[in-house]
Amino acid sequence: MKKFALAAVAAAALTGGVAQAYTVGSFSNGFVVPNVIHNGAANTTAVGIVNQSTGTIPVFWTFFDQNSNHGVDGCFGMTAKQYTGFNWAAVSGVGMENKRGYLVFAVGIPAGGATAANVCTGATQTLAPVAATAQIAGNAFYVDVAGKSVAYTPVIDGPLVLAGGTNLTTMGPFSLQRVAGAAAVLGGAGGAAITSPEPALIPAAAGVNVNAFGRANTTQLSLRYFIDGAAGGNDTRITVWSTGNHKGTHTVNIYDNAQNRQSVNFVLAENELSWFDPESISGRPAAFTDGFIEWNPSVLPSDAPVATASVEGPIAAIGGDVVAYSTIIAPAFGAVQTLLGAHR
């Protein structure tokens, strides 16, 4: 363990000026854990769920990979005022080691007179409305026993919005449409949802920066980094999760802690969950070791995917919700730190 004074200096460098405006710590009909992985009990993601509803409810969960392909799912019952721990290594099943993805927890509609033991089998397998019978909340963290670290994983609060007719036992890549606790990326006229691959256009207003589809670029995220270019030193991994398709090469501005700016590109290699290293960004000035990346997800990537029956269109075109956060490993701390990416 480093001296406390050194740790305090590093803490001040990492947290100065950071704020967040996502919705966390509220109750609704479900939530999303945006970054989940395990490699056995010694390296696992743990989730805690609280049921503040007035009765027994079925909680359906689904694991999706980084491209939102269905992996595995299940259900458990919760009685009123119950807390349940969910250990991903224990429930994921065989062959899921080192598979990164995300978890969606959704409350189903219980049958009358159901108990915790049978509520999943007797439930209507559709998303419950946001009401007294659908009030759950969650928290999550990643456990690294060897590294003696427990890292906070942000949970994205609902309410959830699912595609019409979604069965909670067979959710697919397009089932989850919106999550209220994330930052909204404009989709369609006035932010209305788009159901077809083609965007609805709005006219460009005077003085408003618009993207290639004629919509105002209203959402901007600031992604923190703290690095040193040395193996085993200060390292950062940035997690980006969205309900659209953010895959592609994004041109952004990167700033250091002295307001110096450089335009660079970073690549999000997956559709809806990406985890990348800002230290590997080509063109980043070597002296840029502490600062933030300014990213506007409503700007179309230069190599954005084309929407097809099996591939969702880019989030810049169809809209959706996005969350980003930085996971920072600094020797001065002796443990992993999590910083939410601020948005406006």
Side-chain angles (χ1 to χ4, degrees):
M1 181 70 68
K2 299 290 184 181
K3 292 183 178 179
F4 175 78
L6 180 59
V9 171
L14 288 176
T15 58
V18 176
Q20 59 87 21
Y22 305 114
T23 303
V24 297
S26 63
F27 289 88
S28 69
N29 63 352
F31 59 85
V32 175
V33 184
N35 190 9
V36 173
I37 193 169
H38 86 83
N39 187 27
N43 299 90
T44 185
T45 302
V47 184
I49 304 100
V50 174
N51 173 21
Q52 280 286 14
S53 74
T54 58
T56 300
I57 57 172
V59 179
F60 293 86
W61 59 268
T62 304
F63 174 83
F64 295 95
D65 70 11
Q66 291 179 259
N67 293 308
S68 285
N69 297 307
H70 178 279
V72 64
D73 61 68
C75 180
F76 54 87
M78 294 186 73
T79 56
K81 301 294 184 179
Q82 183 178 358
Y83 166 81
T84 296
F86 184 94
N87 184 334
W88 178 232
V91 302
S92 63
V94 298
M96 298 298 290
E97 295 82 1
N98 290 316
K99 294 184 183 297
R100 191 174 300 278
Y102 64 95
L103 282 165
V104 177
F105 291 85
V107 179
I109 300 175
T115 66
N118 64 19
V119 68
C120 287
T121 56
T124 302
Q125 296 162 345
T126 54
L127 182 66
V130 181
T133 56
Q135 299 295 322
I136 64 169
N139 50 64
F141 51 90
Y142 177 74
V143 181
D144 179 0
V145 174
K148 298 181 179 180
S149 177
V150 177
Y152 167 68
T153 299
V155 167
I156 311 169
D157 289 353
L160 307 179
V161 176
L162 304 183
T166 295
N167 185 317
L168 295 178
T169 66
T170 56
M171 290 178 66
F174 305 136
S175 297
L176 181 62
Q177 295 187 335
R178 305 299 301 265
V179 184
V185 177
L186 192 64
I194 296 174
T195 56
S196 70
E198 297 301 323
L201 302 181
I202 60 173
V208 176
N209 180 28
V210 297
N211 62 19
F213 297 97
R215 292 192 310 282
N217 297 329
T218 57
T219 303
Q220 185 183 83
L221 289 91
S222 297
L223 314 177
R224 288 283 286 114
Y225 68 89
F226 187 65
I227 55 180
D228 58 8
N234 300 325
D235 294 316
T236 299
R237 297 294 184 271
I238 295 178
T239 297
V240 177
W241 179 89
S242 72
T243 59
N245 188 339
H246 57 233
K247 184 176 183 178
T249 302
H250 299 262
T251 300
V252 296
N253 285 319
I254 185 171
Y255 291 85
D256 68 3
N257 57 1
Q259 297 177 291
N260 297 304
R261 181 199 63 83
Q262 177 64 50
S263 178
V264 295
N265 299 311
F266 70 78
V267 177
L268 299 180
E270 297 80 21
N271 293 353
E272 295 185 3
L273 168 61
S274 296
W275 203 61
F276 73 95
D277 180 3
E279 211 164 49
S280 65
I281 293 176
S282 298
R284 174 187 59 83
F288 280 37
T289 58
D290 185 12
F292 64 95
I293 298 167
E294 197 173 73
W295 174 47
N296 190 330
S298 59
V299 174
L300 192 70
S302 59
D303 52 353
V306 176
T308 67
S310 59
V311 177
E312 190 169 27
I315 191 171
I318 67 173
D321 298 311
V322 63
V323 162
Y325 66 92
S326 301
T327 302
I328 296 179
I329 306 168
F333 286 97
V336 177
Q337 306 298 312
T338 302
L339 303 180
L340 286 168
H343 68 88
R344 60 179 180 144

